[in-house]
Amino acid sequence: MELIQNTPDLSAYLAADEVVDHHHPVVRETAARLAKDAADSYAYARLAFEFVRDTIPHSQDSGDMRVTWRASDVLEQGTGICYAKAHALAALLRAEDIPTALCYQKFDVVHGLVAVRFHGAWHRQDPRGNKPGVDARFSLDGERLAWIPDPESGETDHPVLYAEPHPAVLKALKDAPDRPHLWQNLPTSL
């Protein structure tokens, strides 16, 4: 599948905004802590991915009722669903000048992940969090995502790479007072 930038300006994939708030002190501090153990930007990207995947539980898996959507809140509160975890990873990567896009897959609901740009190409990564049956890994050599869509079941990969969260995703997160409400209102399409 060919990944398509929704904006040709690569600098958009480095920008900070209300959601991917990589200028926030908690994001900067986390990025600095991870960067001191990384020999280069690839090693940093892998460490940031593993940090978000492994130390911030997916709220559905952990039973956490809180809904986070801003990257700094995800890092501060240590919880989030796939979209929120993707926002946190995007902020950590952009904080170290690694172009990062938000992207999506459609199963019965929309699933969020990121794409990082290395060696002139985009590579999708899924920081959702591993569990039995899910073994996502950081890779620039073939995708190691949480799930692979089954086209025969109507599941799809969305090829568009967004510089900002998709409005349907952000609305669902912002409108949810808790995770059970969010679960009833997850976007089913973009």
Side-chain angles (χ1 to χ4, degrees), residues 15-22 27 52 56 67-75 79-95 100-104 112-115 125 127-128 162-174:
D17 60 29
E18 174 189 34
V19 179
V20 182
D21 58 342
H22 66 73
V27 177
V52 173
I56 299 171
V67 174
T68 54
W69 54 269
R70 183 179 288 117
S72 58
D73 293 340
V74 174
L75 295 173
T79 190
I81 69 164
C82 61
Y83 314 128
K85 292 182 65 156
H87 300 163
L89 180 55
L92 289 172
L93 295 171
R94 289 181 184 184
T100 307
L102 299 164
C103 48
Y104 304 94
L113 48 154
V114 303
Q125 313 295 328
R128 181 226 177 270
Y162 296 91
E164 300 169 349
H166 190 280
V169 167
L170 195 53
K171 179 175 178 11
L173 289 169
K174 284 183 165 184

Side-chain angles (χ1 to χ4, degrees), residues 141-156:
D141 184 29
E143 294 183 335
R144 295 290 307 269
L145 306 177
W147 294 289
I148 311 247
D150 175 16
E152 290 183 16
S153 300
E155 299 172 349
T156 58

Side-chain angles (χ1 to χ4, degrees), residues 1 12 15 17 21-22 28 31-32 34 37 55 59 65 68 82 88 98 112 119 132 135 143 157 161 167 169 179 184:
M1 172 183 70
D17 60 29
D21 58 342
H22 66 73
R28 303 305 291 180
L34 293 169
D37 293 327
T55 67
S59 57
M65 294 296 140
T68 54
C82 61
I98 298 169
H119 311 303
D135 185 25
E143 294 183 335
D157 277 312
L161 301 174
V169 167
R179 190 177 38 79
Q184 297 299 314

